[in-house]
């Protein structure tokens, strides 16, 4: 007879990969959580999932996606974007606030949450944003469960205004009081506009003009400024999509001086260099841009040293027509990535560029830690039963037509892959298996564990 400690099912023969190693274990699941991890957990009458020969990873946590709802659902929506996440082994996504309208107030946060909460196939969090005058909204955004705040120091998709330094500092102070992480798009907006105006005036419309209009030093300047202000305000700071060698070097210099900040790089900045403009045109327009090969190598070296904390996708869908735009100034920045991140990283691991343990650390364990997401990022007793079954030796070719986003346009189409996502489990429920989404939307909102600053502090 089943008891309170009888598993609902057991994954047997698994090689469980953690951020710090791997071991052959069974995984027992009950009521959506990990009941036990160890040997000999299978029992008579308990269903089993045979994972012999497979790797089992904690579900990936992508802290940087744009699912375009509300206001831009012709590009993507919560259902299509989270189906793509499930197919890519990503069991938690955190959606950025530059939708239409931007999520800069508590009321807009409520409206967005109500709109999307029953559409998600994986668990999700929502960012608020630091606007030019919304520091008074931040405490309530935190109470509603905002995962953090996004600060756009450089303009990108959506009607989001880049605040001035005084507004930024007020927002940083309010974020610190609410114990929210502030994630930053670190580019100097005034310089970006100046360089863009010069290039347009010269008649440039080609894809490489985007790279030339966003030189590396605009990232360095913004990184220096925001880290300095965040330290003074006592804010938890994260740099999104750091893209340059000199930017990473500046972060490391500031860390050595005692500044506390985490750093993210994107899959695109690791797998593409500036030659991609010649092959793919404006499809690979990205903010910050795809960089020269020397920057790509520096980011990989940063991963090897442990200087880079997190890998994310900046999943940024647009319509197929928009991504075919030939005038760089009319083209939108970004492309899909939440479904292709894990296969690409597994392929890099097969080549020896990083380990699967690195993938878990950078894409599961550290994101869950940094944003204090309970129950995520580990396969351990008491954690959510979010895990991915991976065949590390499967040889396939990336086929854009098989992707689950609304507009499956990707620069990685036709790339050879080593390593395949076979199945994804969300809180013990099978949500993806061998090319098919299983079941109805079952994703839930995740909220960070916060320790708001007291009045005395």
């Amino acid at each position: 007879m089943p008891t309170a400690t009888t598993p609902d099912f057991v994954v047997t023969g698994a090689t469980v990969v953690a951020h710090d190693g791997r071991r052959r274990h069974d995984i027992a699941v009950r009521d959506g959580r990990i009941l036990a991890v160890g040997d000999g957990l299978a029992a008579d009458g308990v269903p089993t999932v045979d994972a012999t020969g497979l790797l089992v990873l904690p579900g990936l946590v992508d802290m940087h996606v744009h699912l375009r709802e509300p206001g831009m659902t012709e590009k993507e929506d919560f259902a299509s974007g989270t189906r793509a996440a499930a197919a890519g082994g990503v069991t938690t996504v955190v959606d950025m606030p530059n939708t239409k309208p931007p999520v800069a107030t508590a009321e807009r946060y409520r409206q967005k949450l109500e709109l999307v909460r029953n559409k998600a196939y994986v668990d999700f969090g929502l960012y608020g944003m630091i606007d030019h005058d919304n520091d008074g909204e931040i405490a309530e955004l935190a109470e509603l469960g905002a995962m953090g705040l996004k600060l756009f120091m450089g303009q990108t998709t959506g009607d989001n205004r880049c605040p001035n330094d005084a507004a930024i500092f007020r927002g940083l102070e309010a974020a610190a009081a609410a114990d929210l992480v502030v994630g930053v798009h670190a580019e100097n907006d005034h310089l970006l506009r100046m360089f863009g105006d010069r290039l347009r005036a010269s008649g440039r419309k080609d894809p490489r003009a985007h790279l030339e209009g966003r030189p590396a030093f605009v990232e360095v300047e913004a990184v220096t400024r925001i880290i300095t202000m965040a330290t003074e305000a006592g804010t938890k700071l994260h740099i999104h999509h750091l893209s340059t060698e000199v930017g990473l070097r500046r972060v490391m210099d500031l860390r050595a001086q005692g500044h506390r900040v985490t750093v993210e790089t994107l899959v695109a900045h690791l797998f593409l260099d500036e030659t991609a403009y010649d092959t793919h045109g404006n499809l690979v327009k990205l903010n910050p841009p795809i960089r020269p090969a020397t920057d790509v190598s520096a980011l990989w070296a940063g991963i090897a040293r442990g200087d880079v904390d997190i890998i994310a996708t900046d999943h940024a869908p647009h319509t197929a027509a928009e991504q075919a735009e030939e005038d760089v100034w009319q083209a939108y920045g970004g492309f899909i990535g939440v479904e292709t991140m894990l296969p690409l990283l597994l392929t890099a691991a097969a080549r020896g560029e990083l380990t699967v343990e690195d993938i878990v650390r950078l894409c599961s364990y550290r994101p869950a830690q940094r944003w204090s997401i309970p129950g995520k990022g580990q396969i351990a007793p008491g954690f959510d039963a979010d895990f991915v079954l991976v065949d590390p030796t499967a040889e396939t070719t990336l086929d854009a037509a098989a992707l689950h986003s609304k507009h499956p346009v990707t620069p990685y189409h036709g790339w050879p892959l080593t390593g395949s996502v076979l199945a994804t489990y969300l809180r013990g429920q099978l949500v993806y298996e061998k090319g098919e989404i299983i079941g109805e939307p079952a994703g839930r909102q995740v909220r960070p564990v916060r320790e708001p600053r007291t009045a005395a502090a």
Side-chain angles (χ1 to χ4, degrees):
M1 176 179 296
T3 68
T5 58
T6 301
D8 295 327
F9 69 94
V10 176
V11 180
T12 61
T15 298
V16 180
V17 184
H19 63 284
D20 56 359
R22 63 179 75 186
R23 294 188 66 181
R24 183 78 172 269
H25 277 317
D26 296 343
I27 305 168
V29 176
R30 182 177 177 84
D31 296 333
R33 293 186 177 271
I34 305 294
L35 179 65
V37 179
D39 299 326
L41 299 181
D44 291 343
V46 176
T48 60
V49 175
D50 183 7
T52 303
L54 304 180
L55 302 180
V56 182
L57 282 58
L60 273 56
V61 179
D62 190 348
M63 295 302 305
H64 194 157
V65 303
H66 300 266
L67 300 185
R68 303 305 193 199
E69 192 166 1
M72 292 178 276
T73 52
E74 73 280 2
K75 302 172 187 284
E76 188 82 285
D77 58 35
F78 243 73
S80 61
T82 55
R83 284 195 296 266
V90 177
T91 53
T92 304
V93 296
V94 179
D95 191 47
M96 290 293 169
N98 54 322
T99 46
K100 292 183 179 179
V103 185
T105 68
E107 181 57 28
R108 288 178 181 175
Y109 186 97
R110 289 190 193 92
Q111 292 169 353
K112 180 171 178 175
L113 179 60
E114 185 61 28
L115 181 66
V116 305
R117 69 188 320 154
N118 296 318
K119 299 178 181 180
Y121 285 80
V122 300
D123 286 351
F124 67 93
L126 302 177
Y127 263 102
M129 69 184 294
I130 293 179
D131 202 353
H132 72 293
D133 60 356
N134 75 328
D135 53 291
E137 298 280 342
I138 288 172
E140 190 172 359
L141 283 167
E143 290 302 318
L144 291 170
M147 282 302 305
L149 300 170
K150 180 70 178 286
L151 168 61
F152 295 94
M153 298 176 78
Q155 201 280 327
T156 188
T157 301
D159 183 23
N160 50 287
R161 296 166 290 181
C162 299
N164 63 35
D165 285 352
I168 289 172
F169 194 77
R170 290 193 301 269
L172 292 173
E173 289 180 315
D179 195 37
L180 289 181
V181 176
V182 173
V184 183
H185 178 138
E187 291 183 288
N188 183 305
D189 189 60
H190 293 291
L191 292 175
L192 296 183
R193 294 179 186 277
M194 181 188 76
F195 288 125
D197 288 345
R198 286 179 179 176
L199 286 161
R200 280 191 292 272
S202 73
R204 291 284 298 279
K205 296 182 179 181
D206 58 288
R208 283 178 180 267
H210 183 63
L211 171 60
E212 293 177 34
R214 299 175 99 102
F217 87 92
V218 303
E219 180 174 86
V220 175
E221 188 280 334
V223 162
T224 306
R225 181 160 40 105
I226 194 59
I227 293 176
T228 303
M229 286 196 286
T231 297
E232 185 65 26
T235 311
K236 294 178 178 178
L237 187 70
H238 177 74
I239 305 298
H240 287 295
H241 48 48
L242 194 83
S243 65
T244 65
E245 179 179 14
V246 289
L248 182 58
R249 189 183 310 135
R250 179 59 55 87
V251 170
M252 299 314 298
D253 289 344
L254 290 167
R255 279 178 175 171
Q257 296 172 30
H259 297 272
R260 300 178 65 183
V261 57
T262 52
V263 172
E264 158 198 311
T265 193
L266 300 183
V267 173
H269 286 135
L270 294 171
F271 287 87
L272 300 171
D273 63 30
E274 65 175 319
T275 61
Y277 295 113
D278 303 324
T279 306
H280 300 290
N282 290 326
L283 169 59
V284 295
K285 179 181 178 181
L286 189 64
N287 302 321
I290 301 300
R291 299 289 186 180
T294 52
D295 291 301
V296 176
S297 296
L299 294 176
W300 278 111
I303 288 171
R305 291 191 304 267
D307 296 343
V308 173
D309 302 283
I310 288 167
I311 296 175
T313 66
D314 197 358
H315 176 82
H318 301 287
T319 69
E322 287 168 341
Q323 303 219 264
E325 172 62 55
E326 294 185 358
D327 183 339
V328 70
W329 310 116
Q330 299 301 315
Y332 287 93
F335 48 88
I336 59 175
V338 73
E339 188 170 349
T340 54
M341 172 166 63
L342 183 51
L344 289 170
L345 290 173
L346 289 169
T347 302
R351 295 194 297 254
E353 295 170 348
L354 78 173
T355 67
V356 181
E357 287 85 348
D358 289 332
I359 298 172
V360 172
R361 174 174 54 86
L362 293 157
C363 302
S364 298
Y365 179 75
R366 284 291 283 141
Q369 274 202 327
R370 183 60 172 129
W371 277 267
S372 302
I373 310 175
K376 304 299 185 184
Q378 298 183 59
I379 296 176
F383 280 72
D384 289 352
D386 296 354
F387 50 82
V388 188
L389 274 57
V390 166
D391 182 346
T393 63
E395 301 284 345
T396 60
T397 300
L398 200 154
D399 180 9
L403 300 178
H404 291 77
S405 284
K406 278 191 175 182
H407 301 276
V409 182
T410 172
Y412 310 119
H413 175 68
W415 282 31
L417 301 173
T418 301
S420 178
V421 175
L422 300 183
T424 303
Y425 288 79
L426 174 71
R427 286 178 276 101
Q429 179 177 332
L430 181 66
V431 294
Y432 169 82
E433 186 175 34
K434 297 179 180 178
E436 299 295 329
I437 300 297
I438 309 297
E440 297 301 313
R444 300 175 184 170
Q445 181 192 16
V446 295
R447 304 166 62 111
V449 176
R450 300 187 301 115
E451 297 180 2
R453 185 181 295 172
T454 64

